[in-house]
Amino acid sequence: MTVNEQPESPTEEYGAMLKRARDAAHLSQAALGEVLSCSESLVGLIERGKRRPTKKFTLAAEAALGLKGDLYRLLPNTTVMATEKWFSEWPGVETKADTIRTWEPLVVPGLLQTPRYAQVLFAAEPGVTEQWREEALATRIQRQSVFQRKDPLMYWVLIDESVLLRPVGGKEVIREQLEHLLKMAEQPNISIQVVPLDVGATAGLVGGFAIAQGEGMRDHVYLEDAAVAGTVSAREEMVRRVRLRYDAIHKWAHPVHVSQRLLREVAATYEDQ
């Protein structure tokens, strides 16, 4: 494909990005095929847009090439699931928001999850189908496009230290996730702070939440529930109470530079010896 040519289809656009990522990693088609346990010819066919990539191939290629959803977003015919009624309002709120402040005591916030980390979480859901898991993953990746806007979302994140220590998916997946957090934290619109374990009890132990603000929209909150459903609300009293809870947790958080150092230290513990 020449510089002036544009991909004619999602499959060709996918293939072009795969080739760029492979070249950047200094891998031949044969070498990438060996890593992905597939043939050199299959890699070539996908790069030329002659073969549709599968979700399994895509996730493996992303891990091998150090991508974080770039290929998955281009996966042809990826179905975005219809969200549950209680949650359906929140993706629209994320799209309109200028700033979101969030707290997570158990897992990495969805907007910062890598595909493999999210896939492991969805696989842990009881009684769901493979199709549901695939559609849930596609929906999560699509929501992360708020960081590709011309005016990207300002995202202020508080996470409990236990999130870093829980080896979701094993050491390879969690190390990739922590490295992704470090990369995202380098962006001027994203702040990640860790609340240390030795704080003990905090106002955030009851569950995660997010507060969204934007010009021309009412402030909204999203409250997680360990049971079946959560809550999305724009009620002033609820927003006020959640904002107070965020402030109460924030006062215990490590400064940004200390949080980043802790992320690097924990990521290092998952490296192969």
Side-chain angles (χ1 to χ4, degrees):
M1 183 175 293
T2 64
V3 174
N4 293 326
E5 288 180 330
Q6 296 295 325
E8 297 178 357
S9 70
T11 304
E12 290 178 332
E13 187 175 0
Y14 179 107
M17 176 167 285
L18 176 63
K19 184 178 187 307
R20 288 195 298 271
R22 178 177 61 77
D23 288 342
H26 305 292
L27 292 174
S28 65
Q29 291 181 345
L32 180 59
E34 184 174 350
V35 172
L36 303 181
S37 299
C38 69
S39 66
E40 175 184 358
S41 62
L42 177 61
V43 175
L45 287 169
I46 291 176
E47 287 188 354
R48 296 193 298 275
K50 303 299 183 181
R51 179 72 64 86
R52 288 182 179 274
T54 64
K55 292 181 175 68
K56 182 178 180 180
F57 176 94
T58 299
L59 291 172
E62 294 235 346
L65 299 173
L67 303 176
K68 302 296 186 297
D70 306 83
L71 285 175
Y72 199 93
R73 293 186 184 94
L74 297 176
L75 196 61
N77 298 326
T78 298
T79 303
V80 176
M81 70 189 300
T83 57
E84 296 184 58
K85 185 176 181 180
W86 69 266
F87 184 76
S88 60
E89 184 180 5
W90 187 250
V93 171
E94 289 177 331
T95 301
K96 297 176 183 177
D98 300 325
T99 302
I100 291 181
R101 293 174 173 82
T102 191
W103 154 254
E104 277 291 353
L106 298 175
V107 297
V108 172
L111 292 183
L112 296 179
Q113 291 176 6
T114 64
R116 291 205 297 172
Y117 183 95
Q119 187 181 45
V120 171
L121 293 179
F122 290 135
E125 287 289 332
V128 298
T129 65
E130 181 177 356
Q131 181 180 353
W132 182 93
R133 293 194 297 267
E134 291 179 351
E135 293 179 2
L137 179 59
T139 300
R140 179 145 301 175
I141 297 301
Q142 185 186 68
R143 286 173 54 207
Q144 294 175 359
S145 64
V146 292
F147 297 124
Q148 277 81 54
R149 298 184 324 203
K150 183 178 179 181
D151 53 339
L153 176 73
M154 301 294 292
Y155 199 45
W156 309 124
V157 179
L158 300 177
I159 56 176
D160 193 82
E161 187 177 353
S162 63
V163 174
L164 315 184
L165 304 177
R166 185 181 298 275
V168 173
K171 65 180 181 180
E172 184 180 346
V173 172
I174 188 62
R175 184 180 69 244
E176 177 189 65
Q177 176 63 75
L178 295 179
E179 291 172 348
H180 179 61
L181 289 179
L182 283 166
K183 181 179 179 181
M184 295 299 284
E186 294 175 357
Q187 300 185 26
N189 59 304
I190 297 176
S191 169
I192 300 175
Q193 292 178 261
V194 178
V195 177
L197 279 174
D198 58 16
V199 167
T202 72
L205 294 184
V206 295
F209 57 79
I211 310 163
Q213 298 172 286
E215 185 177 355
M217 61 172 271
R218 297 175 64 188
D219 292 356
H220 282 67
V221 293
Y222 160 54
L223 303 173
E224 292 181 349
D225 191 321
V228 178
T231 302
V232 176
S233 176
R235 288 174 46 215
E236 290 185 9
E237 178 59 20
M238 183 172 290
V239 171
R240 185 187 68 82
R241 292 173 62 185
V242 174
R243 188 179 290 116
L244 287 174
R245 189 173 294 272
Y246 180 92
D247 291 342
I249 301 169
H250 185 253
K251 72 179 183 180
W252 294 109
H254 285 308
V256 170
H257 71 286
V258 176
S259 296
Q260 291 179 354
R261 184 174 68 219
L262 181 59
L263 279 166
R264 285 191 292 269
E265 290 174 352
V266 177
T269 67
Y270 293 110
E271 293 179 358
D272 294 327
Q273 300 300 319

